[in-house]
Amino acid sequence: MINSRFTVAVHLLTLLSVARARDPEAPVTSEFAAESVSTNPVVVRRILGSMRRAGLVRSQPGPTGGWHLHREPDEISLRDVYRAVEDERLFSMHRQQPSADCPVGRNIQQALEGYFQEAEHAMEAKLGERTIADVAAEVTRYSGRLAG
Amino acid sequence: MINSRFTVAVHLLTLLSVARARDPEAPVTSEFAAESVSTNPVVVRRILGSMRRAGLVRSQPGPTGGWHLHREPDEISLRDVYRAVEDERLFSMHRQQPSADCPVGRNIQQALEGYFQEAEHAMEAKLGERTIADVAAEVTRYSGRLAG
DNA sequence: CTATCTGTAACGATCATAGTTACGGCCGGT
DNA sequence: ACCGGCCGTAACTATGATCGTTACAGATAG
């Protein structure tokens, strides 16, 4: 299964979205976010670093620094997040190259390639239908203070 | 990404399908199949064991024993194989439970659950459109002796 | 200048995967 | 009845991914 980085990334962007709705200026620090996710600030910086390279967030060092969304929440789809955090293909081929002496071994990978792409694409297309704004809306249907 | 068991499982069922097309009686041994996949016979038995529990193949011990398909190749979808070999969910939630003190941490998992299910379902539905017969047909478009 | 952030390297703990050895059980052929 | 060849499965190991952690350099507001 897919690692938890994707889940954490969506969590973090949702946190930024909710925080911005309350105060568009105030940044969120790695430490604050880490408490919400129950992890280490370095893990947060690593994942938000991927988001930054994908243009989804921006960061500022120094005091009063921290993280901001860099796009409207309704313009960040879950597919964008997935692509930013996951560079591997969804399905793994054989670890060892199959036997070239067997017609099945020789051709199976090429045969599967297309089917795997279709399935992966269908999954991503479904993720593309939902945005961080949707997640934030669902999360904030129940009220509560924003605390770490 | 998904482990290679799924790929190997499809490979093995395709091998059984092609072998049966040449001789409906002759079983395929774990050792023969292992050579096609470039792995160990025990790995083959483990994966085909899952297929047997899912009713996709049958096995027979003793000399003249080995593995047979237990369904028509066009009645085994890639989704069937996926479900037989993969019991985990596609997306992983947080390792540590997120903070209950934060409205995002408190609600994010429930919010994501539905979206993740949709995406996983879309992927499986696409896999469900293809069968072992399709893969076997593609593999055998190029001829060749069936060798390990 | 200092305090407080980010950025990133480096290391370790934990876990999943899959390769390997070993051996018990089943069964066809002699 | 036995032997040989197959499956079934436990047990151990090697490898690699993941993620938590420490450490420290760089940036910047006050």
Side-chain angles (χ1 to χ4, degrees):
Chain A
M1 67 290 161
I2 292 171
N3 56 52
S4 69
R5 280 199 301 270
F6 175 50
T7 296
V8 172
V10 175
H11 182 150
L12 291 171
L13 294 178
T14 304
L15 188 68
L16 292 186
S17 172
V18 172
R20 196 179 71 159
R22 307 198 177 194
D23 183 345
E25 305 303 319
V28 172
T29 68
S30 305
E31 192 177 350
F32 181 89
E35 286 190 17
S36 173
V37 177
S38 294
T39 184
N40 191 289
V42 174
V43 174
V44 170
R45 282 182 222 136
R46 275 205 284 250
I47 293 178
L48 286 181
S50 303
M51 301 298 114
R52 179 168 39 74
R53 284 185 284 279
L56 307 183
V57 304
R58 62 188 173 82
S59 62
Q60 192 180 358
T64 77
W67 300 87
H68 299 264
L69 279 187
H70 195 52
R71 276 200 216 162
E72 294 302 312
D74 63 357
E75 288 184 355
I76 301 178
S77 74
L78 298 191
R79 179 175 183 276
D80 295 330
V81 182
Y82 177 79
R83 297 289 283 257
V85 90
E86 200 64 44
D87 47 353
E88 299 279 324
R89 305 297 306 276
L90 182 57
F91 298 96
S92 304
M93 286 293 175
H94 311 64
R95 296 177 120 187
Q96 310 289 336
Q97 204 65 12
S99 168
D101 296 336
C102 171
V104 177
R106 194 162 54 238
N107 301 315
I108 187 73
Q109 293 194 337
Q110 191 184 350
L112 288 180
E113 180 61 29
Y115 301 154
F116 285 0
Q117 270 188 21
E118 286 176 0
E120 185 172 0
H121 187 267
M123 186 271 283
E124 291 191 14
K126 189 55 80 173
L127 287 182
E129 296 176 9
R130 305 293 188 168
T131 70
I132 294 297
D134 295 327
V135 180
E138 188 140 346
V139 159
T140 54
R141 276 208 319 237
Y142 322 90
S143 68
R145 265 181 54 260
L146 188 64
Chain B
M1 69 287 161
I2 292 171
N3 57 51
S4 69
R5 280 199 300 269
F6 175 51
T7 296
V8 171
V10 174
H11 182 151
L12 291 171
L13 294 178
T14 304
L15 188 69
L16 294 186
S17 173
V18 171
R20 196 179 71 160
R22 306 195 177 196
D23 184 343
E25 305 302 320
V28 172
T29 68
S30 306
E31 191 177 351
F32 181 90
E35 287 190 16
S36 174
V37 177
S38 295
T39 185
N40 192 290
V42 175
V43 174
V44 170
R45 283 184 219 133
R46 276 204 284 248
I47 292 179
L48 286 181
S50 303
M51 301 297 114
R52 178 168 39 73
R53 284 185 285 278
L56 307 183
V57 304
R58 62 189 174 82
S59 62
Q60 192 179 359
T64 76
W67 299 89
H68 299 264
L69 279 188
H70 195 54
R71 276 200 214 162
E72 295 302 313
D74 63 357
E75 288 183 355
I76 301 178
S77 74
L78 298 190
R79 180 174 182 276
D80 295 331
V81 181
Y82 178 79
R83 296 290 282 257
V85 90
E86 200 65 44
D87 47 352
E88 298 279 326
R89 306 296 308 275
L90 182 57
F91 298 95
S92 304
M93 286 293 176
H94 310 65
R95 297 177 118 186
Q96 311 288 337
Q97 204 66 12
S99 167
D101 295 336
C102 170
V104 176
R106 193 163 55 238
N107 300 315
I108 187 74
Q109 293 194 337
Q110 190 185 351
L112 288 180
E113 179 60 30
Y115 301 155
F116 285 179
Q117 270 188 20
E118 286 177 0
E120 185 171 1
H121 186 267
M123 186 271 283
E124 291 191 14
K126 187 57 79 172
L127 288 182
E129 296 176 9
R130 305 294 187 168
T131 71
I132 293 297
D134 295 327
V135 180
E138 189 140 346
V139 159
T140 54
R141 277 208 321 235
Y142 322 89
S143 67
R145 263 182 57 257
L146 188 64

